[in-house]
Amino acid sequence: MNRQLHALKAELLKNKYSNILWVTFIAFALAPIMGGVFMVIMRNPDALAKAGGLSAKAQVMNFSADWNSYFGILTQAVGVGGVLIFGFVASWVFGREYSDGTAKDLLALPTSRTSILNAKFIVYATWCLALVLSNLVVGLLIGVVLQISTPDNIVVSTHLSNYFLTTGLTILLGTPIAFFAIWGKGYLAPLGFVALTLVFAQVIAATGYGYYFPWSVPGLFSGAGGEYKAQLDVTSYTILILTSFAGYVATLTYWNYADQTK
Amino acid sequence: MFLYNHVGCRPRTKTDTLELISTQSIIKHFGKTPVINEVSIQINQGEIYGFLGLNGAGKTTLIRILLGMIKPNSGHVKLFGKKVTANFNQWNDIGYLVETPYSYPNLSVTENLNVYYQLRQLNNPKVIEDIIGKLKLTPYANTKAKHLSLGNQQRLGLAKALIHKPKLLILDEPINGLDPEGIVEVRELIKELVHTGSTVFLSSHILGEISKVANRIAIIHQGKLIKELTTNELTSQLVKKILVKTNENQRAVTHLITSNYQAALNENDEIEITGSNAISNPEHISKLLVEKGLPPKQVSLFTEDLEMYFLRTIRS
């Protein structure tokens, strides 16, 4: 436990001045901001008439100017956009040691390689949680500023539960990205993998088989796929959890046992 | 009783101090390419072991094998008498610098060292300040690593390797990028460390530097250990000869040979005289040539340098 704490302190220190930290928060905050823009358009008939494309999009999404829609957009941002942003975070946290040239300095230390990786996984999960909390705060602020009618407690608790469950499902998908970062020794392989999974998640979800594809599951769960959410069952979640577990084991095994030549 | 190391080097007595590094017939291939071929070395406590080789000879691969970063196809490594496996737990007795030292670019010198302070689970924060002072990095303590000069980045790499006062230091090209003053400082630092009981494995392709600090030198070429000798043995194996010039070199050679000297003309039209008799008494040669009416215009002692010895060794 003490070793894990040392590894965690070291990992937090490394990220102290990371510019990428703020980039991810700004990029992710686009979702509540866009939600706010939709809200303004929906409540203003003149703006609705002028904002052709945007208003059409808002209507396709059955978007209305209330907390129900706004929570929905925030949750979908996590389930779909999170695959990209969380993937970006995982690529950075795990790939940076190779890009910075510091990986070799982590391999022969009293703090085990496994503890170092676990610290990275903790930082990755915390970072992602901070991102979704930040979006929630930004969303609430925008909601208050726009004076959206106060929702009842049941609506809030249902949406919050969906929001954080979607977050959990998306975070779990970070482990295979960690493997690709360590196997590919840098950012390129994991970012390529993230791009591929994002495309496949959309295509496979559109064909109606998304409930068997782990990277489609958070999006479907968030409601981004509309009625397809009903197709999610125990098998869907089991596949996602097994994918995450396989990614974790592969990352640890590769980091501990493969030849480290970089 | 004497025991013999591989490659027929110096005899060791059973009373020798602890072997801090011991490799047994290490073989490593990357794909079908052999990189390390049957390398066995033993390094005792208190030694400075110089490891020489051209770029690509296998120095860094062997260092990574020593540190458990690369697994050999066969053979094994022991550090402090224990096999290097996933359960090896004496990493805090070892400091290392492998190839170009890199640091976290957005962290200052102090913060970079703090990362390794944490990862080495040290419990005296003063060691950070101490090592910064020792490596003359105090003016840069709060400078971000990305703004350091190449030499200071190298010092930071050395500081990371030394922060925990290791008993065994494994350094791969530690003077790369350092200015002459830095080179002298590192040399003195290595000597000081050994004086306080540390052992140093020093890999380099800068032969002159190795010869200035090492007690023992090994030469690796194309993955094979082709020579291992003490610095005293090295000195005795360096070719020495007397070089002489006269107005009639050919006639002088004839006289020298008649007087039982091993003399010959070289491509620079100088007389080369070898043999211990000539090397230890060059004045006898001058006297002989004067007596024969061939007073020497030049008499000098030529000693082969380490570069020449190295090239001669790897080509033979």
Side-chain angles (χ1 to χ4, degrees):
Chain A
M1 191 61 201
N2 193 31
R3 288 182 177 189
Q4 193 56 68
L5 203 63
H6 280 286
L8 192 56
K9 278 185 190 172
E11 199 55 39
L12 289 171
L13 257 171
K14 287 182 211 171
N15 289 294
K16 199 171 166 186
Y17 303 112
S18 296
N19 295 331
I20 200 82
L21 186 77
W22 306 115
V23 171
T24 56
F25 275 87
I26 292 165
F28 207 44
L30 289 176
I33 292 169
M34 280 309 293
V37 171
F38 278 167
M39 205 89 67
V40 170
I41 291 169
M42 297 305 289
R43 292 202 317 189
N44 185 333
D46 285 346
L48 190 63
K50 286 177 191 166
L54 269 181
S55 73
K57 177 78 180 164
Q59 279 162 358
V60 165
M61 291 166 69
N62 285 328
F63 198 83
S64 53
D66 57 26
W67 278 109
N68 207 34
S69 287
Y70 201 33
F71 267 125
I73 208 163
L74 291 180
T75 308
Q76 287 168 32
V78 176
V80 182
V83 172
L84 176 68
I85 299 285
F86 294 4
F88 203 70
V89 172
S91 303
W92 161 255
V93 170
F94 290 90
R96 66 169 300 178
E97 304 292 355
Y98 292 101
S99 299
D100 288 346
T102 47
K104 59 182 185 263
D105 296 329
L106 303 176
L107 299 168
L109 294 169
T111 302
S112 71
R113 296 182 194 182
T114 300
S115 298
I116 289 170
L117 277 195
N118 282 339
K120 285 186 177 292
F121 279 118
I122 293 169
V123 166
Y124 156 73
T126 311
W127 190 329
C128 295
L129 272 174
L131 281 170
V132 298
L133 284 173
S134 145
N135 258 18
L136 204 56
V137 170
V138 173
L140 288 173
L141 285 175
I142 290 174
V144 168
V145 169
L146 295 178
Q147 296 177 320
I148 304 171
S149 56
T150 312
D152 64 53
N153 289 342
I154 296 172
V155 170
V156 171
S157 75
T158 308
H159 278 299
L160 282 180
S161 149
N162 274 344
Y163 187 72
F164 285 108
L165 279 172
T166 307
T167 301
L169 293 173
T170 315
I171 286 176
L172 282 173
L173 293 172
T175 57
I177 298 162
F179 168 74
F180 277 99
I182 286 174
W183 171 78
K185 298 184 175 21
Y187 306 129
L188 213 56
L191 288 176
F193 180 73
V194 169
L196 267 182
T197 54
L198 206 62
V199 171
F200 278 112
Q202 300 297 314
V203 172
I204 294 171
T207 60
Y209 291 98
Y211 53 95
Y212 284 149
F213 187 62
W215 284 271
S216 299
V217 171
L220 294 179
F221 185 86
S222 71
E227 73 275 15
Y228 285 125
K229 183 174 182 177
Q231 292 179 327
L232 293 173
D233 56 15
V234 177
T235 314
S236 313
Y237 302 119
T238 308
I239 291 173
L240 188 146
I241 289 167
L242 284 177
T243 304
S244 179
F245 183 69
Y248 177 73
V249 172
T251 310
L252 252 57
T253 308
Y254 195 85
W255 179 245
N256 275 300
Y257 297 108
D259 283 348
Q260 300 285 342
T261 54
K262 192 176 171 189
Chain B
M1 175 177 180
F2 289 101
L3 300 168
Y4 276 83
N5 275 341
H6 56 99
V7 294
C9 70
R10 76 189 179 104
R12 291 183 297 119
T13 65
K14 266 193 166 176
T15 55
D16 268 356
T17 48
L18 175 68
E19 274 179 358
L20 260 55
I21 297 179
S22 164
T23 74
Q24 196 63 50
S25 304
I26 297 286
I27 295 176
K28 181 67 189 175
H29 297 256
F30 286 135
K32 286 182 178 172
T33 312
V35 185
I36 300 288
N37 192 356
E38 292 266 356
V39 171
S40 300
I41 53 172
Q42 279 76 37
I43 300 166
N44 296 324
Q45 194 169 26
E47 280 192 303
I48 302 178
Y49 190 86
F51 200 54
L52 285 174
L54 300 172
N55 290 334
K59 302 189 298 292
T60 301
T61 302
L62 185 70
I63 285 179
R64 284 185 180 263
I65 289 173
L66 292 180
L67 292 166
M69 298 178 190
I70 292 178
K71 288 171 185 58
N73 295 104
S74 70
H76 66 258
V77 175
K78 282 185 180 177
L79 299 178
F80 296 91
K82 293 177 188 165
K83 266 193 181 180
V84 174
T85 62
N87 297 322
F88 183 81
N89 62 357
Q90 269 188 265
W91 293 120
N92 250 6
D93 289 330
I94 299 161
Y96 66 92
L97 185 154
V98 180
E99 292 179 301
T100 311
Y102 290 107
S103 302
Y104 298 103
N106 284 326
L107 299 188
S108 69
V109 167
T110 306
E111 287 162 340
N112 263 289
L113 290 170
N114 199 7
V115 169
Y116 295 94
Y117 175 86
Q118 295 297 340
L119 291 174
R120 288 206 173 271
Q121 299 164 32
L122 305 176
N123 50 20
N124 176 12
K126 200 173 169 295
V127 293
I128 296 178
E129 198 183 315
D130 288 349
I131 198 66
I132 285 175
K134 196 163 224 168
L135 270 300
K136 298 203 165 44
L137 283 167
T138 308
Y140 310 100
N142 296 314
T143 304
K144 286 187 176 185
K146 65 182 174 188
H147 295 137
L148 292 176
S149 67
L150 190 62
N152 284 328
Q153 284 180 20
Q154 190 78 12
R155 285 169 200 263
L156 178 54
L158 283 165
K160 288 193 298 194
L162 294 168
I163 187 172
H164 54 297
K165 299 187 174 81
K167 292 177 188 162
L168 172 62
L169 196 55
I170 297 176
L171 301 176
D172 188 11
E173 307 281 2
I175 57 166
N176 272 3
L178 291 177
D179 55 24
E181 191 188 9
I183 292 172
V184 172
E185 281 165 16
V186 169
R187 192 190 306 150
E188 293 309 313
L189 191 70
I190 289 171
K191 286 179 179 171
E192 185 192 321
L193 280 165
V194 171
H195 189 67
T196 55
S198 295
T199 304
V200 180
F201 179 98
L202 182 64
S203 144
S204 181
H205 67 278
I206 303 171
L207 315 180
E209 196 49 44
I210 290 262
S211 69
K212 282 177 187 149
V213 290
N215 311 116
R216 220 149 42 100
I217 290 174
I219 297 175
I220 186 169
H221 186 56
Q222 294 176 344
K224 284 190 104 169
L225 197 68
I226 56 171
K227 199 81 148 186
E228 192 184 44
L229 69 178
T230 64
T231 36
N232 286 341
E233 287 167 339
L234 173 70
T235 308
S236 69
Q237 287 190 18
L238 294 177
V239 170
K240 293 186 184 73
K241 50 196 172 190
I242 302 288
L243 296 176
V244 178
K245 271 189 177 178
T246 68
N247 283 332
E248 291 181 71
N249 284 344
Q250 193 56 60
R251 200 154 70 84
V253 168
T254 309
H255 283 299
L256 286 164
I257 291 172
T258 310
S259 303
N260 293 325
Y261 283 108
Q262 297 158 34
L265 274 179
N266 68 16
E267 66 272 19
N268 298 327
D269 199 30
E270 293 168 321
I271 305 166
E272 282 186 8
I273 309 160
T274 53
S276 56
N277 186 32
I279 306 296
S280 46
N281 301 298
E283 72 279 9
H284 291 179
I285 294 168
S286 300
K287 192 179 168 203
L288 174 74
L289 291 172
V290 169
E291 283 170 2
K292 299 294 179 187
L294 296 162
K297 292 193 291 185
Q298 172 202 307
V299 178
S300 59
L301 173 66
F302 167 86
T303 305
E304 182 184 38
D305 62 21
L306 194 54
E307 274 84 359
M308 294 170 85
Y309 175 81
F310 174 74
L311 292 173
R312 180 161 63 85
T313 305
I314 64 170
R315 285 169 186 164
S316 62

